Amino acid sequence: MSTLTAEVQTFFSDPQARRDPADFYRRLVTEEPVTPLGRMWVVAGYDELMAVATHPATSSDPSVLGTAIPLSPNPVLSAALSRMLPLRDGADHRRLKGLAIRTFSSRGIAQARTLVTETVDALVDANAGQGSFDVVADLAVPLPVALTCALLAIPVEDRDRVLEWAVVLSGQMLGFGVEQPPDTDRKIDDLLDYINRLCADREHQPGPDLLSRLALATRDGQLTHDELVAFVLMLFVNGLETLTAGLSAAVWQVLQAPELLDHIRDHPGDAEAVFDECVRLGSPVRASTRVLLDDIDVGGRRLRRGAAAILLFAAANRDPRRFVDPDRLDPRRSERRHLGFGFGPHLCLGAPLSLAAGATLLDRLARRCRDLRTPLTADTAQWEPSLAFTGLRALPVTFAAAVPVDA
């Protein structure tokens, strides 16, 4: 067994190996961009990853060959998650994506951007007077919860429960072998019951919200009730987990290059480019999986039918063959086509809102929290153990002065 092959196995089995894996990613994409992992393949190189992901003989549906791959230790939740848009292919994916795109009208996006600004300002206001706060607990977690609840018109009084359920979902998505609290199955039952009732209510009494627009498609027979439930779960999982990870990782990165905060303060129009570059470097969605429907050749390897390919976006986003000086945070780089928000048919629907949320948060932190810093170092920062998502568990910060938003 080669040293690199052993490192790959350790990376996927030991959360500690995923703390700061930039050196590992660099070796992987330059030495062995397609490497075996048991009966699976890890595809790390940018071009190799795109070749697999866009190949007609690959599928996003883990059950396509008749062998269901559990997505959660809870079988009921696993079945519901399997109906999510990112795990569908072909005509089903086009149908669901088309319905989802129509709900994200330009007017709706504009309204959501206003909501982003108002929510970020409220959260920063609530914490700026203290001189310190935790970016994860006080900003990166409640912001996506508030946005998702607002988009779905979930009552404000239910947000604490949604937050609790989001934490449960996060634990489920960390993978098998992670010890779960004893009441996890009950909370999952409560979550699915709540979503089912929410969807049924909107099917019978739709309003102006995003969920209601999808519910109308259910009434018209274009969408099943189970698919509607899966759409809400997708927003909970991807909207909450992905954005939380992206926000925490972005703030961590700019704290390592504090001159960027000065730059954002002087050039607020660059905040979105900074956050976008942080998404490339941080890769909130670390990896995804494709099932091989036939033999395919890529990177000098033959990947056999029935195997699974792990698409390691986090490594591909640092491929030096694609990105010049890939480990440098450069918001002005010309190579903008990273994989932090997916690509092609699987491009994240919420990417514009995520960019708006990240840019607004970085702008407010730069303008309002002068001399922002964290006591954490690369050795003491605690990262989530997840294979799926890349984010910090906590990010305490201090600052010298809280400046009014209009200063």
Side-chain angles (χ1 to χ4, degrees):
M1 179 188 299
S2 71
T3 302
L4 186 56
T5 300
E7 286 185 35
V8 171
Q9 294 182 349
T10 302
F11 177 83
F12 281 92
S13 63
D14 182 4
Q16 291 300 314
R18 299 191 286 270
R19 284 173 51 88
D20 187 20
D23 290 341
F24 167 73
Y25 291 154
R26 189 181 306 111
R27 285 193 61 202
L28 200 57
V29 298
T30 56
E31 297 179 26
E32 202 165 2
V34 181
T35 188
L37 179 66
R39 299 180 61 186
M40 300 182 292
W41 293 92
V42 178
V43 186
Y46 186 99
D47 290 340
E48 292 82 3
L49 187 152
M50 292 298 290
V52 172
T54 59
H55 199 288
T58 64
S59 172
S60 302
D61 183 350
S63 65
V64 69
L65 292 179
T67 303
I69 299 175
L71 301 171
S72 159
N74 182 287
V76 178
L77 178 61
S78 182
L81 291 170
S82 70
R83 303 184 188 98
M84 294 192 306
L85 174 63
L87 301 180
R88 308 294 284 276
D89 282 318
D92 273 344
H93 184 272
R94 289 191 293 273
R95 171 178 59 87
L96 294 173
K97 187 73 175 278
L99 290 170
I101 286 174
R102 288 204 292 272
T103 68
F104 282 81
S105 64
S106 57
R107 180 182 178 185
I109 291 293
Q111 291 173 337
R113 284 179 178 271
T114 299
L115 174 66
V116 164
T117 301
E118 293 173 348
T119 306
V120 170
D121 282 340
L123 288 170
V124 174
D125 281 344
N127 292 284
Q130 303 174 29
S132 65
F133 53 84
D134 187 299
V135 171
V136 177
D138 297 323
L139 298 176
V141 170
L143 174 57
V145 169
L147 292 177
T148 299
C149 288
L151 287 171
L152 299 177
I154 290 176
V156 173
E157 58 269 22
D158 288 346
R159 287 187 183 179
D160 286 344
R161 284 201 292 169
V162 171
L163 176 57
E164 183 179 6
W165 287 325
V167 172
V168 172
L169 279 175
S170 173
Q172 292 285 297
M173 300 300 287
L174 293 181
F176 293 84
V178 177
E179 185 176 353
Q180 301 291 329
D183 58 347
T184 294
D185 286 341
R186 178 187 61 77
K187 289 182 177 179
I188 290 173
D189 288 342
D190 291 344
L191 165 63
L192 293 175
D193 180 64
Y194 181 86
I195 292 177
N196 270 291
R197 286 188 286 107
L198 186 70
C199 291
D201 289 345
R202 301 300 164 80
E203 288 173 41
H204 291 99
Q205 292 184 313
D209 58 280
L210 182 151
L211 179 57
S212 292
R213 292 196 290 273
L214 282 171
L216 290 174
T218 306
R219 291 202 322 191
D220 295 340
Q222 302 176 68
L223 192 70
T224 69
H225 176 81
D226 285 345
E227 289 171 336
L228 183 61
V229 170
F231 187 88
V232 177
L233 273 174
M234 180 185 73
L235 287 178
F236 274 34
V237 172
N238 289 345
L240 302 180
E241 273 303 317
T242 306
L243 184 52
T244 294
L247 293 172
S248 65
V251 176
W252 168 258
Q253 289 174 68
V254 298
L255 287 172
Q256 312 313 302
E259 68 276 5
L260 282 174
L261 290 172
D262 296 333
H263 178 83
I264 292 171
R265 189 182 308 119
D266 296 335
H267 305 279
D270 289 349
E272 186 167 300
V274 173
F275 182 71
D276 187 57
E277 174 71 347
C278 288
V279 170
R280 179 189 69 83
L281 273 176
S283 294
V285 178
R286 190 196 303 272
S288 183
T289 306
R290 296 291 187 273
V291 178
L292 306 182
L293 308 180
D294 204 347
D295 294 356
I296 66 172
D297 296 313
V298 61
R301 301 278 200 171
R302 170 151 290 191
L303 282 58
R304 298 292 185 181
R305 179 184 185 275
I310 301 173
L311 307 183
L312 194 54
F313 299 131
N317 279 335
R318 291 173 179 255
D319 190 335
R321 299 170 300 171
R322 173 71 185 182
F323 302 99
V324 177
D325 195 4
D327 295 331
R328 180 168 58 93
L329 201 166
D330 179 9
R332 298 188 181 278
R333 67 171 61 249
S334 59
E335 324 96 311
R336 306 300 300 175
R337 194 185 172 196
H338 64 73
L339 305 175
F341 293 113
F343 57 91
H346 288 279
L347 182 68
C348 176
L349 284 170
L353 293 184
S354 294
L355 283 169
T360 304
L361 180 59
L362 292 181
D363 173 76
R364 295 305 190 263
L365 292 178
R367 291 167 58 192
R368 303 199 59 194
C369 302
R370 301 296 169 84
D371 196 24
L372 188 71
R373 59 184 62 197
T374 179
L376 299 182
T377 66
D379 292 330
T380 59
Q382 294 295 311
W383 293 84
E384 289 287 358
S386 174
L387 271 172
F389 304 110
T390 306
L392 286 155
R393 286 184 168 183
L395 181 51
V397 293
T398 60
F399 50 95
V403 180
V405 69
D406 55 353

